[in-house]
mmCIF file of all heavy atoms in Angstrom:
data_model
loop_
_atom_site.group_PDB
_atom_site.id
_atom_site.type_symbol
_atom_site.label_atom_id
_atom_site.label_comp_id
_atom_site.label_asym_id
_atom_site.label_seq_id
_atom_site.Cartn_x
_atom_site.Cartn_y
_atom_site.Cartn_z
ATOM 1 N N LEU A 1 -47.846 69.124 203.058
ATOM 2 C CA LEU A 1 -48.117 70.450 203.201
ATOM 3 C C LEU A 1 -48.508 71.212 201.944
ATOM 4 O O LEU A 1 -48.931 72.395 201.894
ATOM 5 C CB LEU A 1 -46.958 71.258 203.835
ATOM 6 C CG LEU A 1 -46.600 70.759 205.285
ATOM 7 C CD1 LEU A 1 -45.443 71.500 205.845
ATOM 8 C CD2 LEU A 1 -47.786 70.996 206.198
ATOM 9 N N ASP A 2 -48.276 70.540 200.840
ATOM 10 C CA ASP A 2 -48.756 71.071 199.449
ATOM 11 C C ASP A 2 -50.261 71.070 199.304
ATOM 12 O O ASP A 2 -50.745 71.833 198.486
ATOM 13 C CB ASP A 2 -48.101 70.317 198.301
ATOM 14 C CG ASP A 2 -46.590 70.549 198.331
ATOM 15 O OD1 ASP A 2 -46.172 71.680 198.563
ATOM 16 O OD2 ASP A 2 -45.865 69.621 198.083
ATOM 17 N N ILE A 3 -50.983 70.195 200.002
ATOM 18 C CA ILE A 3 -52.355 70.123 199.892
ATOM 19 C C ILE A 3 -53.024 71.418 200.338
ATOM 20 O O ILE A 3 -52.784 72.020 201.374
ATOM 21 C CB ILE A 3 -52.997 68.995 200.780
ATOM 22 C CG1 ILE A 3 -52.365 67.772 200.531
ATOM 23 C CG2 ILE A 3 -54.534 68.890 200.675
ATOM 24 C CD1 ILE A 3 -52.593 67.145 199.150
ATOM 25 N N GLY A 4 -53.896 72.042 199.406
ATOM 26 C CA GLY A 4 -54.418 73.288 199.705
ATOM 27 C C GLY A 4 -53.769 74.425 199.116
ATOM 28 O O GLY A 4 -54.327 75.563 199.098
ATOM 29 N N GLN A 5 -52.550 74.257 198.506
ATOM 30 C CA GLN A 5 -51.796 75.379 198.042
ATOM 31 C C GLN A 5 -52.422 75.622 196.566
ATOM 32 O O GLN A 5 -52.937 74.788 195.940
ATOM 33 C CB GLN A 5 -50.334 75.015 197.847
ATOM 34 C CG GLN A 5 -49.636 74.716 199.179
ATOM 35 C CD GLN A 5 -49.640 75.942 200.094
ATOM 36 O OE1 GLN A 5 -49.390 77.094 199.644
ATOM 37 N NE2 GLN A 5 -50.014 75.820 201.384
ATOM 38 N N SER A 6 -52.161 76.861 196.175
ATOM 39 C CA SER A 6 -52.782 77.246 194.921
ATOM 40 C C SER A 6 -51.758 77.292 193.738
ATOM 41 O O SER A 6 -50.575 77.477 194.045
ATOM 42 C CB SER A 6 -53.286 78.726 195.005
ATOM 43 O OG SER A 6 -52.308 79.655 195.303
ATOM 44 N N ILE A 7 -52.200 76.949 192.657
ATOM 45 C CA ILE A 7 -51.386 76.994 191.381
ATOM 46 C C ILE A 7 -52.209 77.627 190.310
ATOM 47 O O ILE A 7 -53.410 77.610 190.414
ATOM 48 C CB ILE A 7 -50.796 75.643 190.920
ATOM 49 C CG1 ILE A 7 -51.927 74.707 190.567
ATOM 50 C CG2 ILE A 7 -49.841 74.990 191.992
ATOM 51 C CD1 ILE A 7 -51.537 73.322 189.826
ATOM 52 N N THR A 8 -51.485 78.145 189.252
ATOM 53 C CA THR A 8 -52.263 78.746 188.156
ATOM 54 C C THR A 8 -51.995 77.838 186.879
ATOM 55 O O THR A 8 -50.839 77.563 186.527
ATOM 56 C CB THR A 8 -51.704 80.108 187.810
ATOM 57 O OG1 THR A 8 -51.877 80.997 189.026
ATOM 58 C CG2 THR A 8 -52.463 80.835 186.694
ATOM 59 N N VAL A 9 -53.062 77.477 186.297
ATOM 60 C CA VAL A 9 -52.990 76.617 185.105
ATOM 61 C C VAL A 9 -53.580 77.523 183.907
ATOM 62 O O VAL A 9 -54.739 77.971 184.005
ATOM 63 C CB VAL A 9 -53.840 75.366 185.274
ATOM 64 C CG1 VAL A 9 -53.832 74.606 183.917
ATOM 65 C CG2 VAL A 9 -53.378 74.485 186.286
ATOM 66 N N GLU A 10 -52.691 77.720 182.847
ATOM 67 C CA GLU A 10 -53.065 78.566 181.772
ATOM 68 C C GLU A 10 -54.030 77.944 180.847
ATOM 69 O O GLU A 10 -55.109 78.477 180.524
ATOM 70 C CB GLU A 10 -51.913 78.963 181.002
ATOM 71 C CG GLU A 10 -50.906 79.840 181.781
ATOM 72 C CD GLU A 10 -51.470 81.069 182.314
ATOM 73 O OE1 GLU A 10 -52.300 81.767 181.597
ATOM 74 O OE2 GLU A 10 -51.132 81.485 183.388
ATOM 75 N N GLN A 11 -53.815 76.651 180.483
ATOM 76 C CA GLN A 11 -54.769 75.888 179.610
ATOM 77 C C GLN A 11 -54.657 74.456 179.866
ATOM 78 O O GLN A 11 -53.616 73.887 180.335
ATOM 79 C CB GLN A 11 -54.481 76.175 178.213
ATOM 80 C CG GLN A 11 -53.228 75.521 177.646
ATOM 81 C CD GLN A 11 -53.045 75.902 176.107
ATOM 82 O OE1 GLN A 11 -53.299 77.005 175.743
ATOM 83 N NE2 GLN A 11 -52.671 74.905 175.353
ATOM 84 N N TRP A 12 -55.753 73.711 179.684
ATOM 85 C CA TRP A 12 -55.874 72.255 179.875
ATOM 86 C C TRP A 12 -55.788 71.563 178.537
ATOM 87 O O TRP A 12 -56.228 72.112 177.562
ATOM 88 C CB TRP A 12 -57.140 71.956 180.549
ATOM 89 C CG TRP A 12 -57.172 72.424 182.025
ATOM 90 C CD1 TRP A 12 -57.746 73.587 182.399
ATOM 91 C CD2 TRP A 12 -56.627 71.821 183.092
ATOM 92 N NE1 TRP A 12 -57.652 73.715 183.742
ATOM 93 C CE2 TRP A 12 -56.853 72.634 184.267
ATOM 94 C CE3 TRP A 12 -55.909 70.643 183.341
ATOM 95 C CZ2 TRP A 12 -56.516 72.361 185.499
ATOM 96 C CZ3 TRP A 12 -55.441 70.338 184.663
ATOM 97 C CH2 TRP A 12 -55.756 71.186 185.670
ATOM 98 N N GLN A 13 -55.222 70.270 178.646
ATOM 99 C CA GLN A 13 -55.262 69.432 177.341
ATOM 100 C C GLN A 13 -56.033 68.199 177.668
ATOM 101 O O GLN A 13 -55.863 67.666 178.807
ATOM 102 C CB GLN A 13 -53.815 69.092 177.056
ATOM 103 C CG GLN A 13 -52.939 70.277 176.770
ATOM 104 C CD GLN A 13 -51.432 69.872 176.705
ATOM 105 O OE1 GLN A 13 -51.091 68.708 176.979
ATOM 106 N NE2 GLN A 13 -50.568 70.849 176.442
ATOM 107 N N GLN A 14 -56.808 67.782 176.744
ATOM 108 C CA GLN A 14 -57.551 66.510 176.877
ATOM 109 C C GLN A 14 -56.626 65.390 176.846
ATOM 110 O O GLN A 14 -55.854 65.298 175.815
ATOM 111 C CB GLN A 14 -58.685 66.469 175.769
ATOM 112 C CG GLN A 14 -59.413 65.126 175.829
ATOM 113 C CD GLN A 14 -60.476 65.206 176.965
ATOM 114 O OE1 GLN A 14 -60.938 66.223 177.283
ATOM 115 N NE2 GLN A 14 -60.729 64.025 177.547
ATOM 116 N N ASP A 15 -56.611 64.538 177.852
ATOM 117 C CA ASP A 15 -55.720 63.423 177.852
ATOM 118 C C ASP A 15 -56.539 62.140 177.624
ATOM 119 O O ASP A 15 -57.270 61.750 178.463
ATOM 120 C CB ASP A 15 -54.989 63.364 179.258
ATOM 121 C CG ASP A 15 -53.850 62.339 179.348
ATOM 122 O OD1 ASP A 15 -53.582 61.697 178.268
ATOM 123 O OD2 ASP A 15 -53.392 62.090 180.469
ATOM 124 N N ALA A 16 -56.233 61.516 176.500
ATOM 125 C CA ALA A 16 -56.965 60.380 176.120
ATOM 126 C C ALA A 16 -56.631 59.177 177.097
ATOM 127 O O ALA A 16 -57.568 58.393 177.393
ATOM 128 C CB ALA A 16 -56.675 59.921 174.712
ATOM 129 N N GLY A 17 -55.374 59.053 177.579
ATOM 130 C CA GLY A 17 -55.052 57.927 178.407
ATOM 131 C C GLY A 17 -55.656 58.005 179.794
ATOM 132 O O GLY A 17 -56.138 56.986 180.377
ATOM 133 N N ALA A 18 -55.760 59.180 180.318
ATOM 134 C CA ALA A 18 -56.313 59.350 181.665
ATOM 135 C C ALA A 18 -57.720 59.669 181.707
ATOM 136 O O ALA A 18 -58.343 59.732 182.743
ATOM 137 C CB ALA A 18 -55.558 60.429 182.398
ATOM 138 N N ALA A 19 -58.362 59.924 180.475
ATOM 139 C CA ALA A 19 -59.721 60.212 180.388
ATOM 140 C C ALA A 19 -60.158 61.450 181.188
ATOM 141 O O ALA A 19 -61.057 61.466 181.869
ATOM 142 C CB ALA A 19 -60.659 59.006 180.841
ATOM 143 N N GLY A 20 -59.246 62.461 181.042
ATOM 144 C CA GLY A 20 -59.562 63.713 181.799
ATOM 145 C C GLY A 20 -58.610 64.835 181.164
ATOM 146 O O GLY A 20 -58.129 64.691 180.002
ATOM 147 N N TYR A 21 -58.397 65.822 181.975
ATOM 148 C CA TYR A 21 -57.646 66.942 181.579
ATOM 149 C C TYR A 21 -56.364 66.975 182.315
ATOM 150 O O TYR A 21 -56.270 66.775 183.492
ATOM 151 C CB TYR A 21 -58.363 68.288 181.681
ATOM 152 C CG TYR A 21 -59.572 68.381 180.768
ATOM 153 C CD1 TYR A 21 -60.887 67.951 181.189
ATOM 154 C CD2 TYR A 21 -59.358 68.915 179.469
ATOM 155 C CE1 TYR A 21 -61.900 68.046 180.347
ATOM 156 C CE2 TYR A 21 -60.485 69.065 178.701
ATOM 157 C CZ TYR A 21 -61.762 68.631 179.068
ATOM 158 O OH TYR A 21 -62.780 68.719 178.213
ATOM 159 N N THR A 22 -55.249 67.367 181.526
ATOM 160 C CA THR A 22 -53.861 67.369 182.128
ATOM 161 C C THR A 22 -53.176 68.704 181.744
ATOM 162 O O THR A 22 -53.620 69.367 180.759
ATOM 163 C CB THR A 22 -53.022 66.240 181.743
ATOM 164 O OG1 THR A 22 -52.791 66.230 180.412
ATOM 165 C CG2 THR A 22 -53.527 64.954 182.309
ATOM 166 N N ALA A 23 -52.174 68.992 182.464
ATOM 167 C CA ALA A 23 -51.398 70.235 182.097
ATOM 168 C C ALA A 23 -50.045 70.180 182.684
ATOM 169 O O ALA A 23 -49.867 69.177 183.598
ATOM 170 C CB ALA A 23 -52.072 71.492 182.603
ATOM 171 N N ARG A 24 -49.084 70.978 182.446
ATOM 172 C CA ARG A 24 -47.819 71.071 182.898
ATOM 173 C C ARG A 24 -47.732 72.456 183.524
ATOM 174 O O ARG A 24 -47.855 73.454 182.799
ATOM 175 C CB ARG A 24 -46.656 70.836 181.867
ATOM 176 C CG ARG A 24 -46.612 69.437 181.329
ATOM 177 C CD ARG A 24 -45.774 68.469 182.081
ATOM 178 N NE ARG A 24 -44.377 68.857 182.144
ATOM 179 C CZ ARG A 24 -43.508 68.204 183.082
ATOM 180 N NH1 ARG A 24 -43.973 67.376 183.873
ATOM 181 N NH2 ARG A 24 -42.232 68.596 183.064
ATOM 182 N N VAL A 25 -47.245 72.607 184.762
ATOM 183 C CA VAL A 25 -47.156 73.894 185.432
ATOM 184 C C VAL A 25 -45.886 73.864 186.268
ATOM 185 O O VAL A 25 -45.341 72.885 186.675
ATOM 186 C CB VAL A 25 -48.325 74.254 186.354
ATOM 187 C CG1 VAL A 25 -49.551 74.272 185.530
ATOM 188 C CG2 VAL A 25 -48.436 73.266 187.527
ATOM 189 N N LYS A 26 -45.421 75.061 186.498
ATOM 190 C CA LYS A 26 -44.220 75.267 187.268
ATOM 191 C C LYS A 26 -44.724 75.444 188.745
ATOM 192 O O LYS A 26 -45.549 76.432 188.903
ATOM 193 C CB LYS A 26 -43.362 76.458 186.845
ATOM 194 C CG LYS A 26 -42.080 76.507 187.521
ATOM 195 C CD LYS A 26 -41.071 77.436 186.875
ATOM 196 C CE LYS A 26 -39.738 77.308 187.512
ATOM 197 N NZ LYS A 26 -38.656 77.858 186.624
ATOM 198 N N TYR A 27 -44.218 74.663 189.660
ATOM 199 C CA TYR A 27 -44.637 74.825 191.119
ATOM 200 C C TYR A 27 -43.380 74.433 191.901
ATOM 201 O O TYR A 27 -42.802 73.480 191.767
ATOM 202 C CB TYR A 27 -45.826 73.778 191.318
ATOM 203 C CG TYR A 27 -46.197 73.772 192.846
ATOM 204 C CD1 TYR A 27 -46.737 74.832 193.458
ATOM 205 C CD2 TYR A 27 -46.061 72.558 193.554
ATOM 206 C CE1 TYR A 27 -47.180 74.778 194.819
ATOM 207 C CE2 TYR A 27 -46.403 72.505 194.913
ATOM 208 C CZ TYR A 27 -46.909 73.604 195.503
ATOM 209 O OH TYR A 27 -47.271 73.535 196.833
ATOM 210 N N ARG A 28 -43.153 75.346 192.824
ATOM 211 C CA ARG A 28 -42.003 75.283 193.707
ATOM 212 C C ARG A 28 -40.620 75.069 192.958
ATOM 213 O O ARG A 28 -39.796 74.307 193.335
ATOM 214 C CB ARG A 28 -42.157 74.120 194.702
ATOM 215 C CG ARG A 28 -43.217 74.431 195.800
ATOM 216 C CD ARG A 28 -43.274 73.450 196.846
ATOM 217 N NE ARG A 28 -43.357 72.051 196.326
ATOM 218 C CZ ARG A 28 -42.789 70.979 196.964
ATOM 219 N NH1 ARG A 28 -41.885 71.164 197.899
ATOM 220 N NH2 ARG A 28 -42.971 69.841 196.502
ATOM 221 N N GLY A 29 -40.573 75.753 191.872
ATOM 222 C CA GLY A 29 -39.307 75.751 191.111
ATOM 223 C C GLY A 29 -39.105 74.556 190.163
ATOM 224 O O GLY A 29 -38.061 74.385 189.626
ATOM 225 N N ALA A 30 -40.156 73.713 190.027
ATOM 226 C CA ALA A 30 -39.968 72.542 189.097
ATOM 227 C C ALA A 30 -41.289 72.445 188.364
ATOM 228 O O ALA A 30 -42.351 72.926 188.631
ATOM 229 C CB ALA A 30 -39.809 71.292 189.945
ATOM 230 N N MET A 31 -41.127 71.681 187.191
ATOM 231 C CA MET A 31 -42.290 71.402 186.325
ATOM 232 C C MET A 31 -43.102 70.174 186.929
ATOM 233 O O MET A 31 -42.412 69.162 187.214
ATOM 234 C CB MET A 31 -41.871 71.208 184.919
ATOM 235 C CG MET A 31 -41.276 72.411 184.193
ATOM 236 S SD MET A 31 -42.395 73.812 184.179
ATOM 237 C CE MET A 31 -43.647 73.314 182.970
ATOM 238 N N TRP A 32 -44.323 70.311 187.057
ATOM 239 C CA TRP A 32 -45.131 69.261 187.596
ATOM 240 C C TRP A 32 -46.265 68.837 186.489
ATOM 241 O O TRP A 32 -46.737 69.711 185.795
ATOM 242 C CB TRP A 32 -45.834 69.672 188.757
ATOM 243 C CG TRP A 32 -45.025 69.827 190.016
ATOM 244 C CD1 TRP A 32 -44.051 70.766 190.259
ATOM 245 C CD2 TRP A 32 -44.926 68.882 191.166
ATOM 246 N NE1 TRP A 32 -43.448 70.521 191.470
ATOM 247 C CE2 TRP A 32 -43.948 69.437 192.017
ATOM 248 C CE3 TRP A 32 -45.593 67.828 191.481
ATOM 249 C CZ2 TRP A 32 -43.678 68.834 193.197
ATOM 250 C CZ3 TRP A 32 -45.328 67.164 192.628
ATOM 251 C CH2 TRP A 32 -44.373 67.721 193.506
ATOM 252 N N ASP A 33 -46.627 67.662 186.492
ATOM 253 C CA ASP A 33 -47.811 67.156 185.818
ATOM 254 C C ASP A 33 -49.008 67.465 186.645
ATOM 255 O O ASP A 33 -49.006 67.182 187.889
ATOM 256 C CB ASP A 33 -47.784 65.700 185.531
ATOM 257 C CG ASP A 33 -46.728 65.324 184.533
ATOM 258 O OD1 ASP A 33 -46.447 66.190 183.578
ATOM 259 O OD2 ASP A 33 -46.187 64.268 184.541
ATOM 260 N N VAL A 34 -50.091 67.964 186.068
ATOM 261 C CA VAL A 34 -51.242 68.384 186.851
ATOM 262 C C VAL A 34 -52.470 67.722 186.209
ATOM 263 O O VAL A 34 -52.558 67.671 184.940
ATOM 264 C CB VAL A 34 -51.486 69.918 186.830
ATOM 265 C CG1 VAL A 34 -52.719 70.292 187.590
ATOM 266 C CG2 VAL A 34 -50.297 70.625 187.385
ATOM 267 N N GLU A 35 -53.291 67.136 186.975
ATOM 268 C CA GLU A 35 -54.499 66.496 186.493
ATOM 269 C C GLU A 35 -55.734 67.153 187.174
ATOM 270 O O GLU A 35 -55.735 67.459 188.343
ATOM 271 C CB GLU A 35 -54.448 65.014 186.883
ATOM 272 C CG GLU A 35 -55.660 64.202 186.431
ATOM 273 C CD GLU A 35 -55.536 62.738 186.853
ATOM 274 O OE1 GLU A 35 -54.499 62.222 186.883
ATOM 275 O OE2 GLU A 35 -56.636 62.160 187.153
#
């Protein structure tokens, strides 16, 4: 049921290992890795 829910990302970080952008956000009361 989380698919389609919205989150706010303040800033992205270039992730060399994943070859993309990642961030850490608080979602549903916990910190999540976001890609």
Side-chain angles (χ1 to χ4, degrees):
L1 298 178
D2 292 322
I3 305 295
Q5 298 299 316
S6 63
I7 62 171
T8 302
V9 178
E10 297 300 326
Q11 73 179 39
W12 292 97
Q13 300 168 357
Q14 179 73 33
D15 187 9
Y21 291 93
T22 61
R24 293 273 296 163
V25 298
K26 190 166 189 164
Y27 174 65
R28 291 191 302 142
M31 294 302 288
W32 288 74
D33 291 328
V34 179
E35 182 179 324

